[in-house]
Amino acid sequence: ELLTLRREIAELRDVLILMKKSGYQMRMPERKYRLLKMLTGISIREEFALRLCEKAEDMDSLLEILSKEIRTVDPGGSSKMVLLFGPTGSGKTSTIIKLASQAIKRGERIAIISLDSYKMGGAEQVRAYTRILNIPFARVFDADETKRALSRFNNIDRVFIDTAGRHPSDRRYLDQLKRLCRSDLPIETHLIMSASSDNDFLTESYRYYKEMDIDCLGFTKLDESVNRGCIYNLSLIYSRPIAYLTTGQRIPNDILFPDSRTVARLILENNDNKIRPNKGVSQ
């Protein structure tokens, strides 16, 4: 199904330029045109929006289609080590504290490693939270030190690894992460992106992050986002499931572990609506 989806998207990209020249919007049925304008208005890429309009007749059917195309997954699973990475300002540190707090609630023994050789403040922020949570903490500066730190946590159920926020084009940063992820360690990788970031920047980041072995996606700052179409765009571009969404600054509360329908609803709903858990969402 993913191969079929990618082929359809590639074909639409090629056709879109020709369609624009022929004034395709003027020939669309009114209800389809309204759907198209709504989808592009929430920052869903035009080729993706056209594909959705071909299949959907109204908002109800659109919600059903999105629910089927968006995949979600339970974060962590059986992996002992969970690494979060992503652009500067994406909210990795606060997210990792929320995830650690949720794991502690489940009765797991947790440790946190800060792989941050760039920003002293980031590591100290994590250290402060680990003291509050009374869990082990280690600060490391490269992949080799990370492996040595992990060897000290044999009695821990899950180790969360926080990383520095860097621009995705930073080659040194990516190479360091790739060395760690492609080692023999059972690490699950979460790409963290802010839903409030520029949609073009997030899409462009794919050029660099596609080199990584990404297991799932996490989207932060939904409470600050004007449009949430980037969530749909990136779930298709990366072909990876969504593990969680964060919706505010409160730790550990403002994090959702939604099902696909809830993600679709949050993408389509008016941004003025309050984000709140419903059926299929856990906190």
Side-chain angles (χ1 to χ4, degrees):
E1 290 184 2
L2 286 176
L3 290 176
T4 301
L5 182 60
R6 286 176 173 174
R7 185 168 58 250
E8 289 179 3
I9 291 170
E11 291 172 353
L12 275 172
R13 287 183 190 137
D14 295 335
V15 171
L16 184 58
I17 296 175
L18 296 175
M19 292 178 66
K20 283 184 174 181
K21 290 180 179 179
S22 65
Y24 74 95
Q25 293 173 328
M26 300 299 293
R27 299 196 302 273
M28 292 182 74
E30 180 63 24
R31 69 179 186 282
K32 297 278 189 179
Y33 181 71
R34 287 198 300 268
L35 280 178
L36 177 66
K37 294 298 289 183
M38 185 277 295
L39 290 169
T40 56
I42 60 173
S43 298
I44 289 180
R45 290 173 57 164
E46 192 168 8
E47 64 266 33
F48 296 173
L50 277 170
R51 179 179 164 278
L52 290 170
C53 286
E54 286 183 352
K55 299 181 178 182
E57 295 297 327
D58 51 31
M59 288 295 292
D60 289 338
S61 59
L62 182 59
L63 179 62
E64 292 301 322
I65 293 168
L66 287 180
S67 299
K68 291 178 181 178
E69 293 189 352
I70 294 170
R71 294 184 295 146
T72 58
V73 67
D74 179 32
S78 59
S79 298
K80 179 175 180 177
M81 304 163 198
V82 178
L83 180 143
L84 275 65
F85 72 99
T88 305
S90 58
K92 294 180 297 300
T93 298
S94 59
T95 299
I96 212 165
I97 299 301
K98 291 174 182 178
L99 291 173
S101 299
Q102 295 289 335
I104 291 170
K105 283 184 178 180
R106 296 192 297 269
E108 297 181 17
R109 293 167 296 178
I110 301 300
I112 295 180
I113 293 175
S114 177
L115 174 57
D116 189 344
S117 58
Y118 299 92
K119 187 177 68 173
M120 175 66 74
E124 291 307 310
Q125 181 185 6
V126 178
R127 187 193 300 272
Y129 276 112
T130 59
R131 287 171 178 163
I132 294 171
L133 296 173
N134 193 29
I135 59 176
F137 170 81
R139 186 185 184 195
V140 298
F141 295 92
D142 57 37
D144 291 334
E145 286 190 10
T146 303
K147 293 178 185 178
R148 287 194 291 271
L150 288 169
S151 68
R152 303 201 304 268
F153 296 141
N154 290 328
N155 63 333
I156 296 296
D157 297 317
R158 199 179 306 274
V159 180
F160 291 96
I161 305 172
D162 190 24
T163 61
R166 303 295 291 175
H167 192 279
S169 63
D170 187 320
R171 176 51 54 187
R172 178 188 168 197
Y173 170 68
L174 282 182
D175 287 345
Q176 182 183 72
L177 293 179
K178 284 193 292 185
R179 282 197 302 274
L180 181 59
C181 294
R182 293 175 182 175
S183 64
D184 56 355
L185 298 172
I187 296 178
E188 181 174 287
T189 55
H190 297 194
L191 173 57
I192 308 301
M193 292 174 287
S194 169
S196 65
S197 293
D198 179 76
N199 193 45
D200 291 337
F201 167 73
L202 292 176
T203 303
E204 175 68 11
S205 298
Y206 175 71
R207 288 178 49 200
Y208 307 99
Y209 288 142
K210 67 181 180 181
E211 300 177 20
M212 295 290 297
D213 298 323
I214 300 169
D215 291 305
C216 59
L217 307 175
F219 289 94
T220 63
K221 305 183 181 181
L222 264 71
D223 55 311
E224 301 176 14
S225 61
V226 177
N227 298 305
R228 305 187 188 115
C230 65
I231 297 175
Y232 177 72
N233 295 338
L234 295 169
S235 70
L236 290 191
I237 291 171
Y238 284 100
S239 297
R240 291 294 181 271
I242 296 169
Y244 42 82
L245 310 168
T246 73
T247 60
Q249 298 296 318
R250 294 181 304 164
I251 295 174
N253 296 322
D254 290 338
I255 186 167
L256 308 179
F257 303 97
D259 59 18
S260 297
R261 188 177 183 84
T262 300
V263 177
R265 179 181 62 81
L266 290 173
I267 292 171
L268 293 175
E269 74 176 2
N270 187 295
N271 193 55
D272 292 332
N273 292 341
K274 182 180 179 181
I275 300 173
R276 56 184 180 276
N278 66 355
K279 185 177 180 181
V281 182
S282 59
Q283 284 190 297

